[in-house]
Amino acid sequence: MKRNQGLLIACILGLGLSAESMAGVIDGITANGKLDDWGLFTNFTNQRTTWLPDGSNGVKTTVNGNTYYTASGDYTYENYQIYYAIEDYTGGGDGWVNPGWGGQKYDAEALYVTFDVTHLYIALVTGHDPNTKQQGNEYSAGDFALNFWNSADDKTYEFGIRTPHKDNNIGAFTPRVYQTTNDDWVKDPLWGTGAVTSLDMYQLTKQDRLGRASMSIQAGPKKIGAGSKSKHWIYEISVAKDLFGDAFKNNSGLNVSWTM
């Protein structure tokens, strides 16, 4: 019997850490659960068919009989160089969301990442309700995994940002940031991919705590994206780069994943 929930990881691959186009701190991006300060979707009342910044539909892809709009790239807004990855599932129901089944309610629509001289910023759009409880065949929100690398991707997650696991996960939060190894992450329990799915809180210690990030989780629009009839949620994160030590200085690339 197939399970109807999916494990989904949204990634920004090869974010160029050497492309320091920002001259200083820019009074623009605030972790408030909105996307207007990313130069995106300032008017949610207008029908949009994509999460792409330029309003195009990206590449239409069919996997296991289910359709996605996929894209990745970067754009510039208010002197920020912003990287994005989009994998927008269109099928509804309990269809395939790579690498398993889950449908719209387990879809990560889009992920955006940028940074300035002091902070790293992340914005995620998902069809997954952050108040979903971990029980039965339902799965709660994943955490954010950061993989710094130099020259070639070493597939090692050095840092994790915890998402809130409370009764009400809508609002403003200050989640912990952890220093990790791959052993500090729970591995894919459903589909056997070996991908990480959440921080293993039994493995982490007080010594692994680096500090806290600012995170806002808010309900998003229905009328944007290919699954435009479904509700969305927006996660927005601001975290001081100092917490990562020399990771930005010593590496040329960064992968950011939401480990649903």
Side-chain angles (χ1 to χ4, degrees):
M1 183 177 79
K2 84 180 179 188
R3 302 196 189 191
N4 65 356
Q5 272 66 42
L7 166 74
L8 184 77
I9 297 181
C11 289
I12 299 294
L13 296 174
L15 190 158
L17 299 185
S18 61
E20 188 76 52
S21 61
M22 290 68 71
V25 180
I26 305 163
D27 186 18
I29 293 182
T30 304
N32 57 9
K34 300 180 181 180
L35 295 177
D36 52 344
D37 47 3
W38 295 75
L40 298 165
F41 321 126
T42 56
N43 185 354
F44 284 142
T45 63
N46 289 339
Q47 178 79 31
R48 295 284 296 252
T49 59
T50 177
W51 295 103
L52 277 171
D54 63 3
S56 64
N57 285 330
V59 177
K60 189 175 181 179
T61 305
T62 300
V63 181
N64 283 2
N66 293 281
T67 302
Y68 297 82
Y69 287 102
T70 60
S72 62
D74 63 273
Y75 66 99
T76 300
Y77 178 73
E78 296 288 343
N79 293 321
Y80 283 102
Q81 185 174 4
I82 299 174
Y83 299 80
Y84 66 90
I86 294 167
E87 187 174 287
D88 192 355
Y89 169 79
T90 69
D94 292 326
W96 176 267
V97 285
N98 188 39
W101 299 86
Q104 181 64 35
K105 66 179 180 179
Y106 285 93
D107 188 19
E109 316 281 6
L111 186 65
Y112 308 90
V113 177
T114 192
F115 60 95
D116 56 28
V117 296
T118 62
H119 284 75
L120 172 70
Y121 306 98
I122 302 167
L124 168 76
V125 182
T126 176
H128 181 267
D129 186 339
N131 286 324
T132 304
K133 302 299 182 184
Q134 187 89 12
Q135 56 188 6
N137 279 344
E138 298 291 333
Y139 298 90
S140 59
D143 301 312
F144 288 84
L146 277 65
N147 166 24
F148 287 87
W149 49 271
N150 196 26
S151 299
D153 182 1
D154 59 7
K155 302 185 186 303
T156 300
Y157 295 100
E158 294 92 353
F159 302 98
I161 303 172
R162 183 71 166 163
T163 56
H165 294 266
K166 302 177 181 294
D167 290 336
N168 181 12
N169 297 314
I170 304 296
F173 303 93
T174 56
R176 292 192 185 276
V177 180
Y178 293 91
Q179 185 169 6
T180 68
T181 68
N182 282 7
D183 291 336
D184 295 319
W185 294 86
V186 178
K187 307 306 187 295
D188 175 2
L190 292 181
W191 314 112
T193 64
V196 300
T197 62
S198 62
L199 285 164
D200 188 339
M201 302 310 294
Y202 293 102
Q203 286 288 110
L204 294 166
T205 67
K206 289 183 179 180
Q207 287 70 36
D208 296 320
R209 299 175 184 173
L210 299 176
R212 291 185 179 272
S214 296
M215 179 183 294
S216 180
I217 306 173
Q218 301 292 336
K222 289 185 178 181
K223 293 186 176 182
I224 300 179
S228 58
K229 294 181 180 180
S230 300
K231 193 169 185 178
H232 301 99
W233 286 266
I234 296 172
Y235 290 66
E236 195 171 11
I237 300 169
S238 172
V239 55
K241 287 165 62 176
D242 288 348
L243 295 185
F244 306 122
D246 291 333
F248 275 84
K249 182 175 70 175
N250 294 339
N251 293 282
S252 60
L254 167 62
N255 296 1
V256 178
S257 304
W258 180 60
T259 62
M260 175 59 246

